Amino acid sequence: MLPSEELRQSIQETYNIDLNKYAWSEEFKQQVLSTKLDKVLESHADTLQDVYQMGFNIGHCGLTSRYICRQFKEATLYYGTASLLIGTPSSPNGEHAWTTINGYLIDSTLMICIPISEATPLGYIPEKNIAHDSARMLSEYDLYDMEYRRLEQQNQTYKKTNQ
């Protein structure tokens, strides 16, 4: 089980709500996970699958959503809040980003696909709709590589203290 799926299970139990009914289909999951990363910016991972396996998409919802926008031409990027995530380590106040595709909200953190009509009742509040071209731009300041470097530093510190 991927860390995102574990987080979904935890939130499901916390709020006593069935989020698994919105879980990504296997086909959609594979489409997202096979998304190739920009190798000029990302040196540690090749695809979103590498990122999801490490759980590095959690806390990088904006970046992950931008990669989804790059994969699906019809995707629209939103920034806002998601009450389901309030209190989680990466989103203490519920700050979140997601995409919409063909009438569905695509949450890259929880790996769920919600009909737009059910998004507001589930606590998704859009605050900004990001322009089509801007939504596909990546930044050198928000990278998965930062998580890989942090992990490498932790491993080096651990090795030094345990020698």
Side-chain angles (χ1 to χ4, degrees):
M1 185 177 287
L2 295 171
S4 284
E5 294 166 320
E6 291 172 3
L7 178 60
R8 182 175 68 227
Q9 290 302 117
S10 174
I11 289 173
Q12 189 168 257
E13 291 167 13
T14 299
Y15 292 100
N16 194 28
I17 186 169
D18 181 12
L19 294 177
N20 285 333
K21 68 182 179 180
Y22 303 115
W24 289 352
S25 70
E26 195 57 38
E27 179 184 352
F28 186 75
K29 182 177 176 180
Q30 290 312 312
Q31 283 183 288
V32 171
L33 296 182
S34 68
T35 301
K36 292 187 184 318
L37 303 183
D38 184 316
K39 293 310 291 175
V40 171
L41 297 173
E42 302 287 352
S43 62
H44 290 82
D46 295 319
T47 65
L48 280 179
Q49 180 159 349
D50 299 330
V51 171
Y52 271 82
Q53 286 176 331
M54 298 296 293
F56 293 160
N57 62 302
I58 299 170
H60 290 280
C61 53
L63 177 59
T64 308
S65 293
R66 286 177 184 276
Y67 272 109
I68 290 173
C69 285
R70 292 167 69 110
Q71 178 80 334
F72 299 92
K73 289 181 173 86
E74 67 277 16
T76 303
L77 175 61
Y78 289 89
Y79 289 141
T81 58
S83 60
L84 292 173
L85 295 174
I86 292 174
T88 59
S90 297
S91 183
N93 299 308
E95 53 273 43
H96 198 36
W98 59 85
T99 57
T100 60
I101 301 174
N102 299 327
Y104 288 88
L105 181 149
I106 310 301
D107 186 321
S108 63
T109 298
L110 299 176
M111 298 174 67
I112 54 178
C113 185
I114 306 165
I116 294 292
S117 62
E118 297 177 37
T120 301
L122 284 172
Y124 289 86
I125 309 297
E127 295 169 2
K128 289 183 187 176
N129 175 339
I130 309 304
H132 185 272
D133 290 343
S134 295
R136 284 143 182 85
M137 293 177 64
L138 303 173
S139 167
E140 64 187 80
Y141 301 107
D142 186 15
L143 303 170
Y144 302 119
D145 264 12
M146 294 184 316
E147 301 303 326
Y148 284 98
R149 284 188 212 113
R150 192 172 299 137
L151 185 61
E152 288 170 354
Q153 288 171 345
Q154 288 172 349
N155 288 340
Q156 289 173 357
T157 301
Y158 178 79
K159 286 178 185 175
K160 286 179 185 176
T161 58
N162 291 308
Q163 288 181 349

